[in-house]
Amino acid sequence: MRLPRLQTLDSWRQYPNYRYLWTGNLFSNGAQWLQLFTAGWLVWELSKDTGTTGLFVASLGAINLLPSILIGPIGGVLGDRFNRKYLIMILQSFMACVAILFALLNTTDLVEVWHVYAYVIVSGCCLCICQPMRNALVANTVPREMIGNAMAVNVFTITGTRMIGPFFGGILIANLGFQWNFGIEACLYLGTVIALIRLKLPYREASKSGKQIGVFQSLKEGISYIRKEDRTLLNLITLSVIPELLLHPVWLLIPLFVAQVLGEGPEIAGFLWAVTGLGGLTSTILFSSFGYIIKKGYIVLGAAILGSVAVILYANSTWAPLAFFLIALMSFGQSAFRTTNSVLIQSLAPDEYRLRISTLLFHIKGFIIIPCVLAGLLIDFTSVRVGITCLGTIGLLLGIYFTFTFHRVRKLL
């Protein structure tokens, strides 16, 4: 059997506009991962003497995604109607200013838990608009036949920065304090703005209808399309509940797991976050290098189950090297799901609905507040192991159920 040709960076090499977008995404995702890790450990430090540490730490990352429930869909409509590039540049410039102000606040002794929550909510409002927009821009910078490779290479900016940001972030917290991390975050946002200055969108398609309708009517059109015209897209969005709502909180609970189960500090927590990036990066390299050798439908279903099993085993591991391996395996499955699911959605959705459909996928993430709060309360009453085990078990049961019922997904090539 002939081995497939290596195509790891084909889209990156061949399309300059995609390189500009990729570089901007690298900076933006780096800022986001550094923020989540730093804010999570800061909340742990501020609340460790209370009886609600689990609830505070678990819900912090959920608060970051909560604005997507209300603001995300509207942002998707705006991105389908206006220049996506300039909207991102404006929002990232705003976040750079906010990050600088929060860094200055951390040089004082006035920081409280509610300050961190407020900062994360503001960041989440910008994130829920920018992230789906950046995904949609990938399809506007490469031809349709290169979308699969471009989406896989774009995931490098997520998994790679998840390795580097928390790794150095933990070291900086332990030696210099929290304010340095937030200052670096501001610089990364500015890097995003600079990278996008020369970006052009040669593969952006004009709306076929050519008519201007209201924001909510436009949003209704996007929802109606996946309900009536393409139920496969609805299945793919529903399937994302497993990695986005049930497995993602495991990352947010890393400070608790490291402190309570492994008995270590922020450096080890940073290393554990970095390992999740390594697992995701391995998955990304495989897909970007060799493409999809088996059906994409099988990959998204199998990856959801693999990630859930890894979470259950991780929750019950007490040996640090084993915990590192298992969370890397969970991240491998989660990255495989996200990459493949994004490729399928971006390929199946027509451009005039693409951002609205992508935003609906991100809209699902806003409901992460529910499993995070429930897991946090369960952890405060029992232990962090019990909370994480419950998340993995529910994900496994849903993964098995969807495998047997989503026949449209199983047929996707």
Side-chain angles (χ1 to χ4, degrees), residues 292-404:
Y292 291 91
I293 301 174
I294 63 177
K295 286 184 177 181
K296 297 183 184 71
Y298 289 159
I299 292 175
V300 292
L301 292 166
I305 293 175
L306 174 65
S308 300
V309 172
V311 164
I312 296 171
L313 297 176
Y314 161 78
N316 295 278
S317 61
T318 55
W319 186 41
L322 179 60
F324 276 44
F325 169 77
L326 290 171
I327 202 168
L329 184 62
M330 182 272 286
S331 181
F332 177 91
Q334 196 171 29
S335 179
F337 177 93
R338 286 174 169 169
T339 303
T340 309
N341 202 42
S342 294
V343 170
L344 288 170
I345 290 175
Q346 297 299 328
S347 300
L348 293 173
D351 193 64
E352 63 175 313
Y353 294 111
R354 181 173 283 130
L355 186 51
R356 277 170 282 180
I357 293 171
S358 298
T359 303
L360 287 173
L361 178 63
F362 198 75
H363 182 72
I364 294 291
K365 297 181 181 182
F367 293 94
I368 195 176
I369 187 70
I370 298 173
C372 280
V373 168
L374 293 177
L377 290 172
L378 183 60
I379 287 169
D380 287 332
F381 281 105
T382 56
S383 69
V384 66
R385 290 184 190 172
V386 173
I388 295 176
T389 299
C390 287
L391 291 172
T393 301
I394 297 171
L396 177 60
L397 293 176
L398 283 178
I400 295 172
Y401 172 76
F402 289 149
T403 298
F404 286 103

Side-chain angles (χ1 to χ4, degrees), residues 62-174:
I63 291 294
N64 179 251
L65 295 170
L66 186 62
S68 65
I69 295 177
L70 297 176
I71 299 176
I74 297 175
V77 173
L78 295 177
D80 273 341
R81 296 178 61 176
F82 300 105
N83 191 300
R84 299 167 183 174
K85 165 187 166 179
Y86 292 122
L87 286 173
I88 292 175
M89 293 175 69
I90 291 170
L91 290 172
Q92 297 292 271
S93 298
F94 170 74
M95 273 311 303
C97 296
V98 175
I100 290 173
L101 292 176
F102 196 67
L104 293 174
L105 178 62
N106 273 270
T107 62
T108 71
D109 295 326
L110 303 176
V111 182
E112 298 180 12
V113 171
W114 76 267
H115 292 134
V116 187
Y117 271 72
Y119 175 63
V120 168
I121 288 173
V122 171
S123 173
C125 291
C126 297
L127 176 68
C128 69
I129 297 175
C130 289
Q131 185 162 313
M133 214 173 289
R134 294 201 305 265
N135 287 339
L137 284 176
V138 171
N140 297 152
T141 55
V142 298
R144 181 173 292 273
E145 65 271 15
M146 291 298 295
I147 290 177
N149 179 263
M151 291 300 296
V153 175
N154 185 61
V155 178
F156 276 111
T157 68
I158 302 174
T159 55
T161 54
R162 196 164 75 236
M163 280 198 306
I164 298 171
F167 178 84
F168 289 104
I171 296 173
L172 287 173
I173 291 172

